[in-house]
Amino acid sequence: MGLFDDDFYSTKVSRRARSTSSRDEFAFSNKKGIRSWSNVQVAFVASFTSAAAVLLLFVLVFGGGGLDIGSSAASVSASGSNSLEQRTIQASAKVRPAVVSVINEQTVPYGLLPDTGKSDGQAEGGTAEEGQLSGSKQEVGVGSGVIYKLKDGKAYIITNNHVIAGAESVKVMLVNGEKREARIVGSDQITDLAVLEMDGKDIKTVAQIGQSSKLQPAEFVLAIGNPLGLGDSLSMGIVSKTHRVVPVSLNEDGVYDWQQEVIQVNVSINEGNSGGPLIDMDGKVVGINSMKIAEVGVEGLGFAIPIDNAMPVIDSLMDKGYVSRPYLGVYTVDLEQYFAQKNMDGQAAAGDGTTEQGQGATPGGEATDLPELNLPDEVFEGVIVLEAVGPAQEAGIKLNDVIVKLDDKSISSTMELRQYLYEEKHIGDEIKVTYYRGGKLKTASFKLAEKTKDE
């Protein structure tokens, strides 16, 4: 039995029905004064009348509100172009020509060249001497960037600070494979942002800057960049959390000394994606891809710097080459680390007089390299001054002083010291530093200076 194989949908008419219909038509057509209508005409009039009645009833009940047949038809016909697939294609097409690969070049010692199996000296037809520099620059890292501005014949690129850190020269590869020399306009370690400048000849596409504040959880986003050196690569996912604060180690020594506000996404962010754009479905940049959690068993944890946070930094880098911040003038280490190291040294000395590496304690069991701070027993938190320069030095702060307060804010770590300075204070503000020296509590008050590029 077919889908419509029943009496209701049957197009067959029985012989009895046909004969009855013929008699009716004959009788109707012979009535005096009445025009003969065919069945088709009668059906058409009935249908039109019914439709008019329905329309009139709709207008009476709903007042005609929202009745726009033309716009409804247009929306239906355009529905195909509003699909997620089409929006993804259109969004990426807007930005891809503006995404570049950023190549960090540095002079490397003699050794095996990548993919050659030969030493630098052998590759150049000479001989390599141990420890001597080859004098040629090699590609030591590749990241991503996005062209966001064209001005006076120059193209300006946003990328990460860690992508160009230590670079002696920087090259940029366009989406068509062309390489160009680039200049570092400015960089900022704290926010992990940098700006590059290159020749803007034939550059037609500039990425549009969006608003990260408008992002919502579960919203679709795209990451564009150069993962693992593959170039011009797209990955897609959703916003997992619009505002996440993660601790970072600015010196990459494993000690967290800053907190970064980021957008958390489940988009694939791999080595080489750093510095590339995170875009929304309108093709606008809402973040700069920066980092991921790279641990065994961890997947789908990528992070991007919100573009709303990035643009003031980018503007400062364009204007000055660095980010203007209040400057205290101390290099510090957390007191917690001091106690942890002292405890390790004490345990090693209590064993056989040496540490596991053979350093850190003398044969007599006394710890080396760690100064005696003579702090009161109740003091466990603060930061130790390793070096004082600028305003702090002029105010009399010295090596091994232990800072425990800035103004009335207790300071337990370098992270908290930076946060208080950068978030609560301004250049030229007066600040009171409370610290211990030789077990005695002291204070010093002075004005914060401006942190320059060199500092």
Side-chain angles (χ1 to χ4, degrees), residues 341-398:
Q341 184 62 49
K342 193 170 184 179
N343 184 53
M344 288 176 61
D345 290 347
Q347 290 177 354
D352 58 3
T354 61
T355 64
E356 292 180 4
Q357 286 89 20
Q359 2 177 334
T362 64
E366 297 179 357
T368 62
D369 300 327
L370 294 177
E372 287 297 329
L373 301 177
N374 299 316
L375 294 171
D377 292 341
E378 66 273 12
V379 178
F380 294 100
E381 295 182 333
V383 294
I384 306 170
V385 176
L386 300 178
E387 183 181 3
V389 295
Q393 184 184 39
E394 293 172 6
I397 294 177
K398 298 179 180 180

Short mmCIF file of all heavy atoms in Angstrom, two decimals, residues 341-398:
data_model
loop_
_atom_site.label_atom_id
_atom_site.label_comp_id
_atom_site.label_asym_id
_atom_site.label_seq_id
_atom_site.Cartn_x
_atom_site.Cartn_y
_atom_site.Cartn_z
N GLN A 341 62.53 27.12 49.50
CA GLN A 341 63.91 26.77 49.20
C GLN A 341 64.71 26.51 50.47
O GLN A 341 65.52 25.58 50.54
CB GLN A 341 64.57 27.89 48.39
CG GLN A 341 66.00 27.59 47.93
CD GLN A 341 66.06 26.40 46.99
OE1 GLN A 341 65.30 26.33 46.04
NE2 GLN A 341 66.96 25.47 47.26
N LYS A 342 64.47 27.31 51.48
CA LYS A 342 65.18 27.13 52.75
C LYS A 342 64.82 25.80 53.39
O LYS A 342 65.68 25.11 53.96
CB LYS A 342 64.82 28.28 53.70
CG LYS A 342 65.74 28.38 54.91
CD LYS A 342 65.48 29.66 55.67
CE LYS A 342 66.49 29.79 56.82
NZ LYS A 342 66.28 31.04 57.60
N ASN A 343 63.56 25.40 53.26
CA ASN A 343 63.13 24.11 53.80
C ASN A 343 63.79 22.96 53.05
O ASN A 343 64.22 21.97 53.65
CB ASN A 343 61.61 24.01 53.70
CG ASN A 343 61.07 22.74 54.33
OD1 ASN A 343 61.36 22.42 55.47
ND2 ASN A 343 60.27 22.00 53.57
N MET A 344 63.89 23.08 51.73
CA MET A 344 64.55 22.04 50.93
C MET A 344 66.02 21.94 51.29
O MET A 344 66.57 20.84 51.43
CB MET A 344 64.40 22.37 49.43
CG MET A 344 63.00 22.17 48.88
SD MET A 344 62.87 22.67 47.15
CE MET A 344 64.06 21.56 46.40
N ASP A 345 66.67 23.09 51.45
CA ASP A 345 68.08 23.07 51.83
C ASP A 345 68.29 22.46 53.20
O ASP A 345 69.25 21.73 53.44
CB ASP A 345 68.64 24.50 51.80
CG ASP A 345 68.77 25.04 50.39
OD1 ASP A 345 68.66 24.24 49.44
OD2 ASP A 345 68.96 26.26 50.23
N GLY A 346 67.35 22.76 54.11
CA GLY A 346 67.45 22.21 55.46
C GLY A 346 67.31 20.70 55.46
O GLY A 346 68.03 19.99 56.16
N GLN A 347 66.38 20.19 54.63
CA GLN A 347 66.20 18.75 54.55
C GLN A 347 67.43 18.08 53.95
O GLN A 347 67.86 17.01 54.40
CB GLN A 347 64.96 18.43 53.70
CG GLN A 347 63.65 18.82 54.36
CD GLN A 347 62.46 18.56 53.47
OE1 GLN A 347 62.62 18.21 52.31
NE2 GLN A 347 61.26 18.76 54.01
N ALA A 348 68.03 18.71 52.95
CA ALA A 348 69.22 18.13 52.32
C ALA A 348 70.38 18.13 53.29
O ALA A 348 71.15 17.18 53.38
CB ALA A 348 69.57 18.92 51.07
N ALA A 349 70.52 19.23 54.06
CA ALA A 349 71.63 19.33 55.00
C ALA A 349 71.47 18.31 56.13
O ALA A 349 72.46 17.78 56.65
CB ALA A 349 71.68 20.74 55.57
N ALA A 350 70.24 18.03 56.50
CA ALA A 350 69.99 17.06 57.57
C ALA A 350 70.32 15.64 57.12
O ALA A 350 70.46 14.74 57.94
CB ALA A 350 68.54 17.13 58.03
N GLY A 351 70.46 15.44 55.79
CA GLY A 351 70.77 14.12 55.27
C GLY A 351 72.27 13.86 55.32
O GLY A 351 72.81 13.46 56.34
N ASP A 352 72.97 14.15 54.20
CA ASP A 352 74.40 13.85 54.15
C ASP A 352 75.24 15.10 53.93
O ASP A 352 76.39 15.03 53.52
CB ASP A 352 74.69 12.85 53.03
CG ASP A 352 74.23 13.35 51.66
OD1 ASP A 352 73.75 14.50 51.60
OD2 ASP A 352 74.37 12.59 50.69
N GLY A 353 74.63 16.27 54.19
CA GLY A 353 75.42 17.49 54.08
C GLY A 353 75.40 18.10 52.70
O GLY A 353 76.02 19.13 52.48
N THR A 354 74.73 17.48 51.75
CA THR A 354 74.65 18.05 50.41
C THR A 354 73.23 17.94 49.90
O THR A 354 72.44 17.11 50.37
CB THR A 354 75.57 17.32 49.42
OG1 THR A 354 75.17 15.96 49.34
CG2 THR A 354 77.02 17.41 49.87
N THR A 355 72.91 18.77 48.92
CA THR A 355 71.60 18.64 48.28
C THR A 355 71.68 17.54 47.25
O THR A 355 72.73 16.97 46.99
CB THR A 355 71.21 19.97 47.60
OG1 THR A 355 72.15 20.21 46.56
CG2 THR A 355 71.19 21.11 48.57
N GLU A 356 70.53 17.28 46.60
CA GLU A 356 70.49 16.23 45.59
C GLU A 356 71.41 16.55 44.41
O GLU A 356 71.96 15.67 43.79
CB GLU A 356 69.05 16.03 45.09
CG GLU A 356 68.15 15.45 46.16
CD GLU A 356 66.75 15.26 45.66
OE1 GLU A 356 66.52 15.52 44.48
OE2 GLU A 356 65.89 14.86 46.45
N GLN A 357 71.54 17.86 44.12
CA GLN A 357 72.44 18.24 43.04
C GLN A 357 73.83 18.58 43.52
O GLN A 357 74.67 19.03 42.77
CB GLN A 357 71.87 19.47 42.29
CG GLN A 357 70.68 19.16 41.41
CD GLN A 357 69.38 19.27 42.16
OE1 GLN A 357 69.30 19.90 43.20
NE2 GLN A 357 68.35 18.61 41.66
N GLY A 358 74.05 18.42 44.82
CA GLY A 358 75.37 18.72 45.35
C GLY A 358 75.58 20.18 45.63
O GLY A 358 76.70 20.62 45.80
N GLN A 359 74.50 21.00 45.65
CA GLN A 359 74.65 22.40 45.98
C GLN A 359 73.52 22.83 46.89
O GLN A 359 72.56 22.13 47.09
CB GLN A 359 74.63 23.30 44.73
CG GLN A 359 74.43 22.57 43.45
CD GLN A 359 74.36 23.49 42.25
OE1 GLN A 359 74.00 24.63 42.35
NE2 GLN A 359 74.69 23.00 41.12
N GLY A 360 73.66 24.02 47.44
CA GLY A 360 72.61 24.58 48.27
C GLY A 360 72.89 24.42 49.75
O GLY A 360 72.31 25.13 50.55
N ALA A 361 73.78 23.54 50.15
CA ALA A 361 74.14 23.41 51.56
C ALA A 361 75.58 22.98 51.67
O ALA A 361 76.10 22.27 50.82
CB ALA A 361 73.23 22.38 52.25
N THR A 362 76.22 23.47 52.71
CA THR A 362 77.63 23.13 52.93
C THR A 362 77.72 21.79 53.65
O THR A 362 76.73 21.30 54.20
CB THR A 362 78.30 24.20 53.80
OG1 THR A 362 77.68 24.19 55.09
CG2 THR A 362 78.16 25.57 53.17
N PRO A 363 78.93 21.16 53.68
CA PRO A 363 79.07 19.90 54.40
C PRO A 363 78.69 20.03 55.87
O PRO A 363 78.28 19.08 56.51
CB PRO A 363 80.56 19.57 54.23
CG PRO A 363 80.92 20.22 52.93
CD PRO A 363 80.13 21.47 52.88
N GLY A 364 78.80 21.23 56.41
CA GLY A 364 78.42 21.43 57.81
C GLY A 364 76.93 21.55 58.00
O GLY A 364 76.46 21.65 59.13
N GLY A 365 76.19 21.56 56.89
CA GLY A 365 74.74 21.60 57.00
C GLY A 365 74.15 22.98 56.91
O GLY A 365 72.96 23.16 57.08
N GLU A 366 74.96 24.03 56.64
CA GLU A 366 74.45 25.39 56.55
C GLU A 366 74.02 25.70 55.12
O GLU A 366 74.75 25.39 54.17
CB GLU A 366 75.51 26.38 57.00
CG GLU A 366 75.91 26.22 58.46
CD GLU A 366 76.99 27.20 58.85
OE1 GLU A 366 77.45 27.97 57.98
OE2 GLU A 366 77.37 27.19 60.04
N ALA A 367 72.87 26.32 54.97
CA ALA A 367 72.37 26.65 53.64
C ALA A 367 73.20 27.76 53.03
O ALA A 367 73.68 28.65 53.73
CB ALA A 367 70.91 27.08 53.71
N THR A 368 73.41 27.69 51.74
CA THR A 368 74.16 28.72 51.04
C THR A 368 73.23 29.50 50.12
O THR A 368 72.14 29.06 49.80
CB THR A 368 75.28 28.09 50.20
OG1 THR A 368 74.69 27.23 49.23
CG2 THR A 368 76.23 27.30 51.07
N ASP A 369 73.66 30.67 49.68
CA ASP A 369 72.97 31.51 48.70
C ASP A 369 71.72 32.18 49.25
O ASP A 369 71.22 33.13 48.65
CB ASP A 369 72.60 30.72 47.44
CG ASP A 369 73.82 30.14 46.74
OD1 ASP A 369 74.88 30.78 46.80
OD2 ASP A 369 73.70 29.06 46.16
N LEU A 370 71.16 31.71 50.33
CA LEU A 370 69.94 32.31 50.87
C LEU A 370 70.31 33.22 52.04
O LEU A 370 70.91 32.78 53.02
CB LEU A 370 68.97 31.24 51.35
CG LEU A 370 68.38 30.33 50.25
CD1 LEU A 370 67.48 29.27 50.86
CD2 LEU A 370 67.60 31.15 49.23
N PRO A 371 69.93 34.50 51.95
CA PRO A 371 70.28 35.43 53.03
C PRO A 371 69.43 35.20 54.27
O PRO A 371 68.32 34.66 54.19
CB PRO A 371 69.96 36.80 52.41
CG PRO A 371 68.87 36.51 51.44
CD PRO A 371 69.17 35.15 50.87
N GLU A 372 69.94 35.60 55.42
CA GLU A 372 69.16 35.56 56.65
C GLU A 372 68.36 36.85 56.75
O GLU A 372 68.93 37.94 56.82
CB GLU A 372 70.07 35.41 57.86
CG GLU A 372 70.67 34.03 58.02
CD GLU A 372 69.61 32.96 58.25
OE1 GLU A 372 68.56 33.28 58.85
OE2 GLU A 372 69.81 31.82 57.82
N LEU A 373 67.05 36.74 56.75
CA LEU A 373 66.19 37.91 56.72
C LEU A 373 65.80 38.39 58.11
O LEU A 373 65.38 39.54 58.28
CB LEU A 373 64.92 37.60 55.92
CG LEU A 373 65.15 37.16 54.47
CD1 LEU A 373 63.81 36.82 53.81
CD2 LEU A 373 65.86 38.26 53.68
N ASN A 374 65.92 37.52 59.11
CA ASN A 374 65.61 37.87 60.50
C ASN A 374 64.20 38.46 60.65
O ASN A 374 64.01 39.50 61.30
CB ASN A 374 66.64 38.87 61.05
CG ASN A 374 68.04 38.30 61.05
OD1 ASN A 374 68.26 37.14 61.42
ND2 ASN A 374 69.01 39.11 60.63
N LEU A 375 63.25 37.81 60.03
CA LEU A 375 61.88 38.29 60.09
C LEU A 375 61.19 37.84 61.38
O LEU A 375 61.54 36.79 61.95
CB LEU A 375 61.09 37.76 58.91
CG LEU A 375 61.50 38.25 57.53
CD1 LEU A 375 60.77 37.47 56.43
CD2 LEU A 375 61.22 39.74 57.38
N PRO A 376 60.23 38.59 61.87
CA PRO A 376 59.43 38.13 63.02
C PRO A 376 58.72 36.82 62.68
O PRO A 376 58.43 36.54 61.52
CB PRO A 376 58.41 39.27 63.21
CG PRO A 376 59.06 40.48 62.61
CD PRO A 376 59.86 39.97 61.46
N ASP A 377 58.45 36.03 63.68
CA ASP A 377 57.88 34.70 63.47
C ASP A 377 56.52 34.75 62.77
O ASP A 377 56.14 33.80 62.08
CB ASP A 377 57.73 33.98 64.81
CG ASP A 377 59.08 33.63 65.43
OD1 ASP A 377 60.07 33.61 64.67
OD2 ASP A 377 59.14 33.41 66.65
N GLU A 378 55.78 35.85 62.94
CA GLU A 378 54.44 35.91 62.37
C GLU A 378 54.43 36.36 60.91
O GLU A 378 53.36 36.39 60.28
CB GLU A 378 53.55 36.86 63.19
CG GLU A 378 53.95 38.31 63.13
CD GLU A 378 54.98 38.71 64.17
OE1 GLU A 378 55.57 37.79 64.79
OE2 GLU A 378 55.19 39.92 64.36
N VAL A 379 55.59 36.69 60.35
CA VAL A 379 55.64 37.17 58.96
C VAL A 379 55.96 36.01 58.03
O VAL A 379 57.06 35.45 58.06
CB VAL A 379 56.69 38.28 58.80
CG1 VAL A 379 56.77 38.72 57.34
CG2 VAL A 379 56.35 39.47 59.70
N PHE A 380 54.98 35.64 57.21
CA PHE A 380 55.16 34.55 56.26
C PHE A 380 54.91 34.99 54.81
O PHE A 380 55.20 34.24 53.88
CB PHE A 380 54.20 33.39 56.58
CG PHE A 380 54.49 32.72 57.88
CD1 PHE A 380 53.76 33.02 59.02
CD2 PHE A 380 55.51 31.77 57.98
CE1 PHE A 380 54.02 32.40 60.22
CE2 PHE A 380 55.78 31.13 59.18
CZ PHE A 380 55.04 31.45 60.31
N GLU A 381 54.35 36.17 54.63
CA GLU A 381 54.00 36.62 53.28
C GLU A 381 54.62 37.98 52.98
O GLU A 381 54.72 38.84 53.85
CB GLU A 381 52.47 36.70 53.12
CG GLU A 381 51.78 35.36 53.23
CD GLU A 381 50.28 35.48 53.01
OE1 GLU A 381 49.73 36.58 53.29
OE2 GLU A 381 49.65 34.50 52.56
N GLY A 382 55.02 38.13 51.74
CA GLY A 382 55.64 39.36 51.29
C GLY A 382 56.51 39.08 50.08
O GLY A 382 56.50 37.97 49.53
N VAL A 383 57.27 40.08 49.64
CA VAL A 383 58.20 39.90 48.53
C VAL A 383 59.58 40.43 48.92
O VAL A 383 59.69 41.47 49.58
CB VAL A 383 57.70 40.62 47.25
CG1 VAL A 383 56.43 39.96 46.74
CG2 VAL A 383 57.48 42.10 47.47
N ILE A 384 60.59 39.69 48.52
CA ILE A 384 61.97 40.07 48.83
C ILE A 384 62.52 40.89 47.67
O ILE A 384 62.39 40.51 46.51
CB ILE A 384 62.85 38.82 49.04
CG1 ILE A 384 62.23 37.91 50.10
CG2 ILE A 384 64.27 39.21 49.43
CD1 ILE A 384 62.90 36.56 50.20
N VAL A 385 63.16 42.01 47.98
CA VAL A 385 63.75 42.86 46.96
C VAL A 385 65.08 42.27 46.51
O VAL A 385 66.01 42.11 47.30
CB VAL A 385 63.95 44.29 47.49
CG1 VAL A 385 64.66 45.16 46.44
CG2 VAL A 385 62.62 44.91 47.89
N LEU A 386 65.17 41.93 45.22
CA LEU A 386 66.41 41.44 44.64
C LEU A 386 67.25 42.60 44.11
O LEU A 386 68.48 42.51 44.09
CB LEU A 386 66.12 40.46 43.51
CG LEU A 386 65.32 39.21 43.88
CD1 LEU A 386 65.08 38.35 42.63
CD2 LEU A 386 66.03 38.41 44.96
N GLU A 387 66.57 43.64 43.68
CA GLU A 387 67.28 44.83 43.19
C GLU A 387 66.32 46.01 43.26
O GLU A 387 65.14 45.88 42.95
CB GLU A 387 67.76 44.63 41.76
CG GLU A 387 68.56 45.81 41.23
CD GLU A 387 69.02 45.61 39.79
OE1 GLU A 387 68.66 44.58 39.18
OE2 GLU A 387 69.72 46.50 39.26
N ALA A 388 66.85 47.16 43.68
CA ALA A 388 66.06 48.39 43.72
C ALA A 388 66.69 49.40 42.77
O ALA A 388 67.89 49.63 42.80
CB ALA A 388 66.01 48.95 45.14
N VAL A 389 65.85 49.99 41.92
CA VAL A 389 66.32 50.99 40.97
C VAL A 389 65.29 52.12 40.93
O VAL A 389 64.21 52.01 41.50
CB VAL A 389 66.48 50.40 39.54
CG1 VAL A 389 67.57 49.34 39.52
CG2 VAL A 389 65.17 49.82 39.03
N GLY A 390 65.63 53.19 40.26
CA GLY A 390 64.68 54.28 40.05
C GLY A 390 64.10 54.83 41.34
O GLY A 390 64.83 55.09 42.31
N PRO A 391 62.78 55.02 41.39
CA PRO A 391 62.14 55.64 42.56
C PRO A 391 62.41 54.89 43.87
O PRO A 391 62.64 55.51 44.90
CB PRO A 391 60.65 55.60 42.20
CG PRO A 391 60.60 55.49 40.73
CD PRO A 391 61.81 54.71 40.33
N ALA A 392 62.34 53.57 43.85
CA ALA A 392 62.56 52.78 45.07
C ALA A 392 63.97 52.96 45.60
O ALA A 392 64.19 53.11 46.81
CB ALA A 392 62.28 51.31 44.79
N GLN A 393 64.94 52.94 44.69
CA GLN A 393 66.33 53.13 45.12
C GLN A 393 66.54 54.51 45.72
O GLN A 393 67.21 54.66 46.76
CB GLN A 393 67.26 52.93 43.93
CG GLN A 393 68.75 53.01 44.28
CD GLN A 393 69.63 52.90 43.04
OE1 GLN A 393 69.29 53.46 41.99
NE2 GLN A 393 70.73 52.18 43.16
N GLU A 394 65.96 55.52 45.09
CA GLU A 394 66.09 56.88 45.60
C GLU A 394 65.43 57.05 46.96
O GLU A 394 65.85 57.88 47.77
CB GLU A 394 65.48 57.86 44.59
CG GLU A 394 66.23 57.94 43.27
CD GLU A 394 65.50 58.76 42.24
OE1 GLU A 394 64.45 59.36 42.59
OE2 GLU A 394 65.95 58.81 41.07
N ALA A 395 64.40 56.23 47.23
CA ALA A 395 63.71 56.29 48.52
C ALA A 395 64.42 55.48 49.60
O ALA A 395 63.97 55.46 50.75
CB ALA A 395 62.28 55.80 48.37
N GLY A 396 65.52 54.79 49.24
CA GLY A 396 66.31 54.08 50.24
C GLY A 396 66.03 52.59 50.37
O GLY A 396 66.58 51.92 51.25
N ILE A 397 65.20 52.04 49.53
CA ILE A 397 64.91 50.60 49.57
C ILE A 397 66.11 49.85 49.00
O ILE A 397 66.69 50.25 47.98
CB ILE A 397 63.63 50.28 48.79
CG1 ILE A 397 62.44 50.93 49.51
CG2 ILE A 397 63.41 48.78 48.66
CD1 ILE A 397 61.11 50.75 48.80
N LYS A 398 66.49 48.72 49.67
CA LYS A 398 67.72 48.01 49.31
C LYS A 398 67.48 46.51 49.09
O LYS A 398 66.39 45.99 49.37
CB LYS A 398 68.76 48.20 50.42
CG LYS A 398 69.18 49.64 50.65
CD LYS A 398 70.21 49.72 51.78
CE LYS A 398 70.65 51.15 52.02
NZ LYS A 398 71.64 51.24 53.13
#
